[in-house]
Amino acid sequence: LVLTGLNFGTRISESLPLTFGDVSGKYININSLKGSENAAFIIPPAYHQAVSELKDYYTSKGLTVTDDTYLFQSKKGVNEHIKKRQANQIMKDTCEELGIEGKVNTHSFRKTFVTKIYELTKFNIAQTKVYSRHKNLANLDYYINTCQTTELINDLSWGV
């Protein structure tokens, strides 16, 4: 769940319904449920490895994993994905276990993804908007507001 948010900048509503079939090829297709652009991203090898390990884990617990099996299985039913509340609780428990302090929730990984993309594009807001699939720049500003710097002022040259 964490790797999905960090690698693809997914909203929790986009992550939870993902199936093993969605991540079995070279690309993952992110279908927006909030009216923004759909996108396809190349799946990194480390993500494929994590998915393979998850599949092995489910198989060891007696679950038959097919392309239609949800990645984030609920214990409440056969092939039912966890809900947003469960995902947030998992994040909270995991952070507590790891000694990570502060406010961390399922949306934190999307925010981290957007911030990192913004930095990697050398603060290109238009390119960041494409990767993050935001409908408008005002919404995107909420994410990148914390990584604005003023160091470019040193690069200005007015001939004075």
Side-chain angles (χ1 to χ4, degrees), residues 97-108:
E97 229 175 83
L98 296 172
I100 298 171
E101 297 180 7
K103 184 181 176 188
V104 178
N105 59 38
T106 55
H107 205 67
S108 300

Side-chain angles (χ1 to χ4, degrees), residues 122-151:
K122 297 188 179 7
F123 309 105
N124 182 321
I125 196 161
Q127 202 173 8
T128 303
K129 184 178 176 285
V130 170
Y131 276 92
S132 66
R133 302 170 335 276
H134 279 93
K135 288 185 277 189
N136 63 54
L137 294 177
N139 291 343
L140 178 57
D141 187 52
Y142 166 74
Y143 289 83
I144 60 176
N145 210 1
T146 58
C147 64
Q148 299 275 357
T149 66
T150 58
E151 65 191 39

